Each structure stands twice: as C-alpha cells, then as structure tokens.
Amino acid sequence: MMKHSIACLCALLALVALTACSQNISPRPALPAVGHPEPLPQGRPICSDCHEVPMKDSLKSYAVLDHTATFVKDHRFAAASEAGTCAVCHKESFCNECHANYVEVKPSTLHGDRPDRDLPHRGDYLSRHKVDGRLDPASCYRCHGRTNNEKCVTCHRH
Amino acid sequence: MKRLAGLAPLLSLMLPGFAFAADLNVDGTTLLRIEERSAPGFSKQTVAPATQFLGIDATDVGAKGLSFHLYGWGRADLADKSAGDEKTDANLTYGYVKYRKGFPNAALIGKAGRFFVFEGIINEQVDGAQAQLILPQGFTLSAFGGVPVKLDRSSNTKGDLIGGGRLGFRYGGIIDVGLSGLHERNAYLDTMARADRQLVGGDIWIAPHRMVDITGRSSYNATTEDFAESSSNDNMKSYGGSLTYSAFKPIEIFVEYKHFKRDVTGSADKFGGEIRASLLDGALNPGFGYRRVSSSSTGSIPSYNEIRAFASYAKGAYSASVDFITDLYDKQFYGTDSDYAYELSGSLGYRISPVVHLSGDLSYGANPDYKDQVKGLVRLTFSYSTVKGAPQ
C-alpha cells in the first residue's frame, strides 16, 4: 500500500513540476476556468449587482440566484430547475463534495481552511449527530440515502 | 483501488482525445490526515489516511460540443484502518462523456457514463445515459436510464435498474413547473424486502413579483402509497422559514426558524441566526452564529444552545483561518456525564505557485464520546487549466 501511495505522490509531483512554470491560474478549483465570462469578486456572488436584465432563456430575474445565505440553504429549489445555469460556474465536483453516496471525508474536513463556507458537519459530528438525526431524519436522507453508507452501517443496521 | 484501476482503459482511450481538447482542466487534492480515535468500547487507534482526489474536465474533445468529466478519489491508510475492513479504498464519483448541440431555439444534451441526476424530485447516482431536450415555448424534457450505483459494503441495497425523467414548463420568468417520476426495479425498501420503488412528484416556482418567489416540491411514493419522507409508523413533519437581510454591503444577517413534529420524539423548535461580514475588500471574512434547539421531550432530544465563531483571512500568497463551535446541552447527553461538546480549529495556507496551494489544519476538541481529541491535516491542491487568462 505504501507503494501505491508513493506512486500516487510521485505522479502528482510530476504533474505539479510539469505545470509549475505555467501561468494559467484557476484559484478556485471547483469553479470552471471558462464559463462565466466575467471575473467574480471574492466570496458569494450577488448576481443582481451586475445583471439587470432577466435571464435569457427562463426570463427569471437574476435576483433569484443571488447567493445569499437563504439561497445557499435553499439551493435545492434553484438546482431543480436551473441546473444548466449552475453549470456555467460550478463543476459537478463542487456539488458532489457535499452530495455523494460514497465520500471519503466530510466536506468541512476537505475544506477545513474555509470556515466561511456552509459545509455540512462542523466540529466532531459522530457524537452530536444523534440529536440532529432524531430531530429531522428526513433531512439526512437527502444526502445519506435511506440505505446508509458504509460508515453508518458500522452502528446502524440500515 | 480496483475500481479506479478499471478506469485506466477508459482513460487511455480518452487520452488521445485530450490532445485535441480545446480546454483541459485538471484539479487534484492530496490530504494527509492524522487522528487519534478512542471511542468507548473500542481500543485507542491512530489513523493516518492519505487520500488523493482527482478531477478532469476536457471540453471539445475531438468534436465541438463533446466533453469529458471525471471525479474520484483513492485512499491508503498509513497506520491503523480508518474505515471499513480494508486499508485502501477508492471510488469514482462520476465519469461521463457529454454532448451538447444547440439549435436556434432549442438544445439537445446527451450524457453517458456514471453521473448524478438532480431534477425535480429526482436525486440519483447512475451508470447509464441521459438525454435532455430544451424546446421552444418554454418546454424542457429529460429522461435517464441505467443501473443505480451501489454503495460498497451493503451492495445489495440498490435495485437492478432505474429510469425516470422530468417534463418542465416555464413561462415569462414568473412560473416554472415540473412533473417528474422515477422507477427502480427490485429496490431495497425500509422493510428489508425487495420491491419496485416508484416516485412521482411535482416542483413549482412562482414569482409574481421581482422580490417574491414561492417554491415547493412534493412527491408521492407509489410503492408504499404514502407521501415520501414519511412512514406510517413514525409520522414527521417540519416547517419553517429563513430570511437574509443585508442592511449595508459588507454585512449579511440571516435568521431562521424551524418547527419539528415527530411521533416518536415529540415536537421541537430550532431557531437562530448568523451574522457574517466581508471586510478589507473581501480579504477578512468573520462570522458568528447562534442556534437554540428547544425540545418538548428532553428524553430523546436534549435541548441545547449552539455557538459558532469563525474568521478567515487571505493576503497575497498567505491565508489563515480560525473556527470554533460548541454545543451546550441543558442536561447530561444521552446517559453520559458530559453536557457539552466543542472543537477549536485553525488553518494556515500558502500558495506555492499559481497552480499549487499548500495548507495545514489543526484542531482540538472534546465531546461526550471523546475526552480530548487532536486532529491534524496537510492539504496540497493543484489546479491546472489550459485556458489562457482564465477568469478568476
């Protein structure tokens, strides 16, 4: 196994070395380099700051996609009908860091350097999840599925 | 590693295509975690998993409109086993080819491989194909079919075949409605028995006024003849709302309230809010949050206060952040002698080159299960793109 991980690391370092001299920057890896034609300011974008006319195909006001805290919490409504617009700025991996069946680390660990993001399960969640889970189990099934993943099965039958 | 190895032939088939790709993006994250774990009833362990995440996006591969997307990870444990029975593990989150063709008033999008479907009430990961049609007059039609992606250990929990779709209609920027359905053959239901799973449902978005929008979703489980997300022996309901208020630009205030009612646990209320700011041209981002859960049945759900405070700062090649979260329970937590949990963590980062970023996190905490817990992590990310002058 050590061999595997060393091989992985070597491949990575080779890639890094190959590209280190390149000046092509994409500082937010989960956002595609092409897509949105205008550079966005730091943080969550407020679309209606720049977009005054409605969206081309759906004619909705851009304000419905303003990335306010409410939008971030309730983005499932926008995602259900505007998935194509999300893809202008977000790679699918951006969504799948939080939404996946089989994820290696919880999003708040993967991006532990980004406390300003709204990532699931801050702090140690294994003990604290019993409360949230009992309060609203349906909300957990959205991501964990009715049939839990490998880690949950250690303690939960199904 | 086996499944990632299975990808090698696919990748080598695609590689010549990459040479012709108009744009190629490669992102990777390497994580090395070190944690000490001591759960009651288990012996103390040190785990040191090394994980590699890899994402590839190539557009206009060979032909215009044809693109390739892949994301997955592999892990090797350098000390004790960190999860499951094996010291290595890997998973392909998605890997598909996509084709998009635009017409004057319409578009056709096709996908094949492993991907997620988020549409209307559908939220599935499949190995299969999907076609989407964007039609004139505001209609959209999409359909997918394939094999549901199985979870590793309990690999019998998914059905053998799955299919579904959504028909959507939008008009004048004030209404957007959809009807969607799903059929999974031989799925595994709550009861441990196998049966077909059928879901039908609708989603609606109405905006009578620029500042107001109303959204809703409801689904009906045709298999159990019940509205989804509830089951006959344990009724649950929740409702609530939230509001974002931005009095002046750099400060955002968010408040929320939610009421929960569930047969087996009684009712509970959750309310609270968050205030976050963006200072020094977005370089400094502090935030503070408070939440209160107050429960009518202190037996199964303890009432508690949650407090969180964080700040992140970035300047030039350097970045730093701190994060603190604590839960203070009104009573002892589920038969333990503890009534609190907290975690304090900090992170430092440095951009080595335009494409490579290095960061390290350290956290310390205590909770009813773990007395004192230290976790460390080193993170190396690289993000390479052939796009010249890519927007940031």
Side-chain angles (χ1 to χ4, degrees):
Chain A
M1 263 328 95
M2 276 307 275
K3 256 191 236 151
H4 258 126
S5 41
I6 291 169
C8 274
L9 257 165
C10 288
L12 172 69
L13 286 176
L15 241 162
V16 168
L18 259 170
T19 56
C21 36
S22 146
Q23 288 306 306
N24 306 320
I25 318 175
S26 169
R28 291 174 182 149
L31 302 183
V34 272
H36 194 259
E38 182 81 2
L40 295 167
Q42 266 297 317
R44 295 176 180 166
I46 301 300
C47 322
S48 59
D49 279 356
C50 305
H51 290 275
E52 276 163 7
V53 293
M55 281 186 251
K56 234 183 289 163
D57 52 345
S58 70
L59 300 176
K60 289 178 193 169
S61 157
Y62 269 98
V64 301
L65 298 184
D66 282 354
H67 280 35
T68 61
T70 304
F71 172 88
V72 169
K73 292 267 184 313
D74 294 338
H75 65 269
R76 60 191 183 119
F77 298 113
S81 59
E82 290 296 333
T85 312
C86 313
V88 170
C89 295
H90 294 295
K91 287 180 188 167
E92 218 175 303
S93 60
F94 177 84
C95 316
N96 290 136
E97 283 168 2
C98 294
H99 292 284
N101 282 327
Y102 196 168
V103 185
E104 170 63 3
V105 291
K106 58 185 176 133
S108 62
T109 303
L110 179 59
H111 296 293
D113 56 342
R114 293 290 310 274
D116 56 314
R117 287 194 51 186
D118 198 16
L119 302 162
H121 313 333
R122 294 283 173 190
D124 192 282
Y125 202 58
L126 265 183
S127 65
R128 291 191 295 127
H129 88 278
K130 296 162 201 168
V131 184
D132 289 354
R134 286 188 169 175
L135 204 58
D136 192 9
S139 73
C140 319
Y141 301 145
R142 292 211 173 99
C143 294
H144 291 291
R146 284 210 162 260
T147 47
N148 286 323
N149 75 16
E150 183 165 356
K151 282 179 204 158
C152 317
V153 177
T154 343
C155 301
H156 294 279
R157 271 282 124 244
H158 72 122
Chain B
M1 286 288 157
K2 228 182 282 157
R3 256 163 318 150
L4 281 200
L7 257 180
L10 176 64
L11 261 177
S12 53
L13 268 175
M14 296 298 300
L15 272 176
F18 290 165
F20 301 108
D23 302 321
L24 177 65
N25 277 273
V26 184
D27 305 309
T29 299
T30 312
L31 285 189
L32 179 63
R33 288 177 285 157
I34 299 175
E35 292 172 22
E36 198 152 76
R37 290 185 188 168
S38 54
F42 294 91
S43 61
K44 205 166 191 159
Q45 286 186 312
T46 302
V47 296
T51 316
Q52 178 65 49
F53 295 82
L54 180 68
I56 299 175
D57 295 89
T59 53
D60 295 341
V61 195
K64 181 142 179 57
L66 189 66
S67 60
F68 172 77
H69 309 269
L70 174 142
Y71 186 74
W73 55 265
R75 181 197 73 224
D77 286 331
L78 309 179
D80 293 337
K81 277 176 246 167
S82 64
D85 296 328
E86 303 287 333
K87 278 202 163 192
T88 61
D89 201 358
N91 190 249
L92 175 66
T93 309
Y94 58 80
Y96 61 89
V97 286
K98 178 172 157 184
Y99 180 69
R100 188 194 159 98
K101 180 142 181 67
F103 302 97
N105 272 312
L108 170 71
I109 302 156
K111 273 186 189 178
R114 170 175 296 185
F115 52 87
F116 280 82
V117 185
F118 289 123
E119 272 195 84
I121 58 152
I122 304 167
N123 177 9
E124 300 291 330
Q125 187 186 19
V126 293
D127 287 330
Q130 182 183 26
Q132 281 169 283
L133 265 171
I134 298 166
L135 299 162
Q137 315 292 339
F139 287 98
T140 58
L141 184 66
S142 86
F144 76 97
V147 180
V149 175
K150 295 182 162 56
L151 307 174
D152 219 26
R153 182 185 294 178
S154 38
S155 56
N156 62 337
T157 57
K158 295 277 179 170
D160 340 313
L161 277 177
I162 192 163
R166 176 178 184 266
L167 174 67
F169 174 69
R170 41 177 46 165
Y171 176 75
I174 52 171
I175 186 159
D176 191 334
V177 288
L179 189 69
S180 43
L182 170 81
H183 187 110
E184 184 177 349
R185 203 178 71 188
N186 252 341
Y188 172 98
L189 301 172
D190 267 2
T191 50
M192 313 282 283
R194 278 180 180 273
D196 287 4
R197 179 170 72 110
Q198 275 177 314
L199 274 181
V200 285
D203 55 279
I204 185 163
W205 176 90
I206 323 167
H209 181 267
R210 206 187 105 84
M211 300 305 290
V212 185
D213 64 72
I214 302 162
T215 50
R217 269 187 349 157
S218 184
S219 60
Y220 179 75
N221 189 330
T223 321
T224 56
E225 300 189 339
D226 209 344
F227 280 88
E229 296 182 359
S230 74
S231 67
S232 41
N233 55 3
D234 180 14
N235 259 307
M236 39 190 155
K237 276 195 181 62
S238 68
Y239 56 83
S242 70
L243 205 77
T244 307
Y245 177 68
S246 196
F248 49 101
K249 242 305 79 99
I251 292 181
E252 191 183 73
I253 297 168
F254 170 78
V255 288
E256 68 178 334
Y257 167 76
K258 207 161 181 189
H259 179 79
F260 306 92
K261 195 170 180 325
R262 188 178 170 199
D263 283 356
V264 298
T265 54
S267 64
D269 294 289
K270 182 175 188 169
F271 58 87
E274 214 169 80
I275 174 163
R276 41 169 73 224
S278 175
L279 309 170
L280 311 175
D281 273 335
L284 178 65
N285 291 283
F288 179 82
Y290 169 77
R291 276 179 186 83
R292 166 85 189 160
V293 167
S294 94
S295 155
S296 65
S297 72
T298 43
S300 57
I301 296 174
S303 297
Y304 69 97
N305 297 305
E306 181 169 285
I307 299 164
R308 180 161 179 253
F310 65 84
S312 65
Y313 179 73
K315 189 172 188 345
Y318 297 91
S319 57
S321 68
V322 287
D323 193 0
F324 176 74
I325 185 164
T326 183
D327 281 4
L328 305 166
Y329 303 101
D330 289 11
K331 301 203 311 186
Q332 256 73 4
F333 188 80
Y334 291 130
T336 63
D337 57 4
S338 162
D339 61 1
Y340 66 91
Y342 76 90
E343 189 173 284
L344 174 67
S345 52
S347 175
L348 287 174
Y350 176 65
R351 182 165 292 285
I352 299 170
S353 86
V355 286
V356 187
H357 186 256
L358 180 71
S359 52
D361 306 350
L362 195 64
S363 72
Y364 179 81
N367 59 59
D369 290 336
Y370 299 90
K371 275 305 144 247
D372 53 338
Q373 196 174 35
V374 187
K375 293 184 213 165
L377 180 153
V378 179
R379 180 188 301 106
L380 188 71
T381 55
F382 76 92
S383 183
Y384 170 73
S385 163
T386 57
V387 184
K388 294 279 178 242
Q392 313 211 349

